Amino acid sequence: MAKLDSKIPSGPLADKWRKHKTEIKLVNPANKRKYEIIVVGAGLAGASAAATLAELGYKVKSFVFHDSPRRAHSIAAQGGINAAKNYQNDGDSVYRLFYDTIKGGDYRAREANVHRLAEVSVNIIDQCVAQGVPFAREYGGLLANRSFGGAQVSRTFYARGQTGQQLLLGAYSALSRMVGQGAVELFTNEEMTDLVVVNGQAKGIITRNLVTGELRRWAADAVILATGGYGNVFNLSTYARGSNVTAIWRAYKRGACFGNPCYTQIHPTCIPVTGDYQSKLTLMSESLRNDGRIWVPKRKEDCRKDPASIAEEDRDYYLERMYPSFGNLAPRDIASRAAKRVCDEGRGIGETGLGVYLDFSDAINRLGEPAVRERYGNLFDIYHEITNENAYKTPMRIYPAVHYTMGGLWVDYNLMSNVPGLFVLGEANFSDHGANRLGASALMQGLADGYFVVPYTIGDYLAGQKPGSRPSPDAPEFKEAEANVRAMTQRLLSAKGTQPVSHFHKRLGQIMWNYCGMARTKEGLQKALQELPKLREEFWASVKVPGSADTLNQALENAGRVADFIELGELMCLDALTREESCGGHFREEYQYPDGECKRDDEKFGHVAAWEFQGVGQPPLRNVEPLNYEFVKMSVRNYK
């Protein structure tokens, strides 16, 4: 059984991080040059971590499977980044951001981690402004803010509808500077295919060059994974098609516990599915819910009518009706389930009936079209490119879709997994969002982890490692890990099936969405756990992977990723079946209040479920980390 020591500092909540920084071990500046750190992933968390660690003096190797870190999925984030600056003078504070995040996550996150995130948020904005990130500004020159779901203050900083892109350019600039100075070695087109554990500690990785097919061994004193989320287990999602679980899944198979894998975020503001031909879904930023009003017709017979012909009194602005305090800015899980509810009643719009309207007519009448264009113009352009509809003239059509995963590898307060030397940042870990992430908090966590947390905490681990003691890449553990990758590659290429990888990915996505998606039941999850092993067996028997291993082979890349997704799907369904409660994005239909809200069971499930791999063909072990709430009372969320 894994040892789960959260390493949460003692003392008052507001003093924990400051106290911890004064007590953790330090590495002598002269010795930092003797340590090598591997960073896998170069999105916001990975790029900021690599740049900051190199600035401190460590030797850093940065790996990214893209041809440039600028292609990392962080670039797709649109709406903004939260920070408790209180520039609007509307009552915001570090504690309020902390509380909103804990409440938004339905009381399933660690208090200490979340409070640290809220503290560090104020520094992130200053860092990014210094880098030249072009945040929107008010007329007087102060940085502008807008509102996001789950908050009654305006704390979201933004750069039109391309905040993630601008923040990533800032982090990429910092990374490029250190590459130019020789402090970071950047390896593009390299995908991590295994973690190397030596004497119980993470000491390196195996990578496959996606252009040449070459497998290489890399040794280090510590390994950082910042590889994003695993929402593509559902096939159709708002993730980039390359986003995958492979890095953290291979680490899971080497002993790292997987925390709360079933916690999946469904975003309420996505362009609806239109056909089986689609490879991904497109997000319309939550920022649109500041000025857009969400509605469906009150009568089923009006659903196919032109929305302009439906009178105001015949429209149901259901979020404003159901949640008057927060209205259209209700948290994502609540807004998504509300959309599903009205569509299940037969009042959904569009050809499939799985859609609701996001209407800007009120905002345009109130503010004028130029003001709306200034705030959201590029988002309206994206919508027009995809749908060929003008959202200034007719309401957008939206529906919930998979957008983020709150689960990930288990980490302690130092962001180190239960495998010593393996650190996990950003969406790849489980730590800060509980069962539901509030909008604009993903960018905040990624940059907090990379710029301000791991540069402190990794030193605590490295101080206990003798400089220059990292193993040779020729050590037996490295050879075994490389052989493991070669064997899997050969198995995929040797399959004599007839079905392409995409065939199995689509079927996996259908199983996961139907039985472990926005709503879950015991019967559905049990059925999924019967179907997924059959799908796995059929995959290995019937998949066709053309080409060879010693060249560019995207079919081979995708086959390895889908094989991992199928195994992950089983763990997600097992986790969802075992957690007999509803909380945040994990909605079990058997556990709900009469008004349809989540019914938690804090006595039995007020904990983190950290699953431990027990070997191929063996059921995983479910470890538990209790969530001890000292400073906040667990209560039923109320956004009404």
Side-chain angles (χ1 to χ4, degrees):
M1 180 174 287
K3 182 181 179 182
L4 302 181
D5 180 4
S6 62
K7 295 185 173 65
I8 297 173
S10 60
L13 184 65
D15 295 339
K16 288 182 184 292
W17 179 229
R18 178 190 56 78
K19 179 174 181 283
H20 190 61
K21 288 190 292 184
T22 64
E23 294 176 348
I24 57 178
K25 299 173 186 175
L26 300 176
V27 177
N28 184 305
N31 281 342
K32 287 178 181 175
R33 295 189 293 272
K34 301 175 182 177
Y35 291 104
E36 290 196 5
I37 300 171
I38 284 173
V39 180
V40 184
L44 287 183
S48 60
T52 307
L53 290 167
E55 186 84 46
L56 289 171
Y58 296 108
K59 293 181 179 179
V60 178
K61 287 184 170 66
S62 172
F63 295 85
V64 58
F65 65 63
H66 299 294
D67 60 347
S68 166
R70 290 180 62 178
R71 295 191 188 276
H73 187 50
S74 299
I75 203 169
Q78 300 165 336
I81 177 172
N82 287 331
K85 284 287 197 180
N86 195 32
Y87 282 170
Q88 302 298 312
N89 203 27
D90 56 359
D92 201 10
S93 66
V94 167
Y95 183 85
R96 193 176 293 276
L97 174 53
F98 154 75
Y99 179 78
D100 286 347
T101 306
I102 284 283
K103 177 183 176 183
D106 215 353
Y107 303 93
R108 288 294 179 263
R110 280 201 203 115
E111 282 185 325
N113 287 66
V114 177
H115 196 277
R116 175 177 64 190
L117 179 64
E119 291 177 63
V120 167
S121 71
V122 299
N123 300 326
I124 296 171
I125 303 303
D126 296 338
Q127 171 96 356
C128 294
V129 169
Q131 290 174 337
V133 173
F135 287 119
R137 292 181 181 270
E138 302 284 7
Y139 178 76
L142 287 177
L143 297 184
N145 291 114
R146 56 189 177 201
S147 299
F148 256 61
Q152 291 182 307
V153 296
S154 295
R155 63 163 67 100
T156 303
F157 295 78
Y158 62 98
R160 295 189 70 187
Q162 49 188 248
T163 313
Q165 178 179 357
Q166 299 302 328
L167 292 173
L168 184 61
L169 289 173
Y172 175 66
S173 298
L175 176 62
S176 297
R177 174 173 173 268
M178 302 317 296
V179 171
Q181 292 184 9
V184 173
E185 289 185 82
L186 177 62
F187 299 91
T188 58
N189 296 309
E190 293 278 347
E191 180 167 32
M192 174 182 157
T193 51
D194 210 347
L195 176 73
V196 181
V197 179
V198 180
N199 296 324
Q201 301 184 74
K203 291 297 180 183
I205 62 173
I206 307 297
T207 65
R208 179 178 183 270
N209 185 284
L210 298 184
V211 176
T212 67
E214 180 185 5
L215 294 182
R216 293 201 276 182
R217 312 169 197 163
W218 307 91
D221 296 284
V223 175
I224 294 174
L225 301 184
T227 52
Y230 49 87
N232 276 340
V233 68
F234 292 88
N235 186 34
L236 283 181
S237 74
T238 67
Y239 286 76
R241 285 304 293 177
S243 298
N244 63 81
V245 75
T246 290
I248 62 173
W249 189 251
R250 306 288 171 88
Y252 163 72
K253 286 189 161 184
R254 292 291 181 181
C257 289
F258 209 120
N260 301 329
C262 78
Y263 286 170
T264 307
Q265 173 146 97
I266 311 295
H267 197 296
T269 319
C270 301
I271 297 178
V273 176
T274 57
D276 188 55
Y277 58 85
Q278 282 184 270
S279 62
K280 74 178 299 293
L281 300 176
T282 302
L283 172 70
M284 289 287 98
S285 170
E286 183 167 306
S287 62
L288 293 171
R289 292 199 277 150
N290 271 274
D291 291 308
R293 299 179 69 193
I294 296 173
W295 63 275
V296 292
K298 289 181 178 179
R299 297 190 299 265
K300 296 179 183 180
E301 54 268 29
D302 290 342
C303 290
R304 299 296 176 266
K305 291 182 178 179
D306 181 340
S309 69
I310 302 175
E312 186 72 16
E313 61 269 20
D314 294 327
R315 302 179 179 187
D316 180 11
Y317 295 91
Y318 58 90
L319 287 177
E320 298 172 31
R321 170 175 57 82
M322 297 164 67
Y323 306 100
S325 292
F326 285 75
N328 296 295
L329 287 172
R332 290 175 176 176
D333 61 316
I334 287 175
S336 293
R337 284 195 295 275
K340 181 180 186 298
R341 198 177 311 164
V342 296
C343 289
D344 288 347
E345 292 170 1
R347 296 191 288 135
I349 55 90
E351 292 183 5
T352 64
L354 297 178
V356 300
Y357 288 124
L358 179 60
D359 194 333
F360 285 85
S361 56
D362 277 4
I364 290 172
N365 290 335
R366 184 178 73 254
L367 303 169
E369 187 173 314
V372 174
R373 284 185 181 275
E374 183 179 350
R375 293 180 183 180
Y376 311 112
N378 63 309
L379 298 173
F380 279 62
D381 293 342
I382 291 171
Y383 185 80
H384 180 266
E385 286 294 318
I386 293 173
T387 66
N388 198 32
E389 296 176 5
N390 184 346
Y392 296 104
K393 304 300 181 184
T394 189
M396 288 183 179
R397 293 174 292 109
I398 58 170
Y399 192 69
V402 173
H403 178 61
Y404 190 89
T405 49
M406 284 75 67
L409 293 188
W410 182 92
V411 292
D412 62 18
Y413 190 70
N414 290 332
L415 303 184
M416 188 167 73
S417 76
N418 59 293
V419 176
L422 177 64
F423 293 78
V424 191
L425 313 184
E427 192 178 354
N429 74 31
F430 87 101
S431 68
D432 288 6
H433 305 297
N436 174 63
R437 177 177 67 79
L438 292 184
S441 288
L443 305 185
M444 175 174 63
Q445 186 207 352
L447 291 180
D449 288 355
Y451 280 137
F452 297 107
V453 179
V454 84
Y456 278 102
T457 61
I458 201 170
D460 190 55
Y461 168 75
L462 292 174
Q465 305 295 304
K466 184 178 178 181
S469 65
R470 61 184 169 275
S472 165
D474 293 324
E477 293 85 353
F478 283 84
K479 293 180 180 179
E480 182 275 329
E482 182 182 337
N484 179 58
V485 175
R486 289 190 185 278
M488 182 175 182
T489 301
Q490 187 57 40
R491 186 183 178 193
L492 288 167
L493 291 171
S494 299
K496 302 302 181 184
T498 59
Q499 296 293 345
V501 175
S502 59
H503 168 80
F504 296 97
H505 201 173
K506 286 182 179 180
R507 287 175 57 191
L508 171 64
Q510 290 167 354
I511 294 171
M512 295 302 296
W513 180 253
N514 290 337
Y515 302 124
C516 197
M518 205 176 342
R520 303 154 182 190
T521 65
K522 179 179 180 180
E523 292 74 20
L525 291 165
Q526 288 174 333
K527 185 171 182 180
L529 289 169
Q530 292 173 350
E531 292 188 12
L532 288 170
K534 296 176 184 176
L535 181 65
R536 184 180 70 246
E537 292 177 12
E538 187 180 341
F539 171 86
W540 287 106
S542 304
V543 72
K544 180 178 178 59
V545 183
S548 66
D550 55 0
T551 185
L552 174 68
N553 189 341
Q554 290 186 308
L556 177 60
E557 294 171 34
N558 292 331
R561 295 168 186 173
V562 171
D564 292 336
F565 275 138
I566 294 173
E567 294 180 0
L568 167 68
E570 291 185 65
L571 185 64
M572 290 174 67
C573 291
L574 180 60
D575 186 42
L577 179 64
T578 308
R579 186 169 285 277
E580 296 177 333
E581 65 165 353
S582 290
C583 56
H586 169 62
F587 188 71
R588 286 280 298 270
E589 292 184 356
E590 306 96 325
Y591 305 101
Q592 58 180 301
Y593 290 104
D595 61 357
E597 301 298 338
C598 289
K599 189 174 185 179
R600 296 195 321 265
D601 187 338
D602 295 334
E603 184 176 344
K604 292 182 180 178
F605 295 100
H607 59 244
V608 178
W611 294 87
E612 183 181 358
F613 184 66
Q614 296 293 290
V616 177
Q618 300 296 317
L621 180 65
R622 189 178 191 267
N623 299 288
V624 167
E625 179 206 339
L627 291 171
N628 298 314
Y629 275 61
E630 300 179 66
F631 303 95
V632 172
K633 180 183 178 181
M634 289 185 177
S635 59
V636 178
R637 288 188 303 170
N638 183 4
Y639 291 97
K640 297 181 178 182

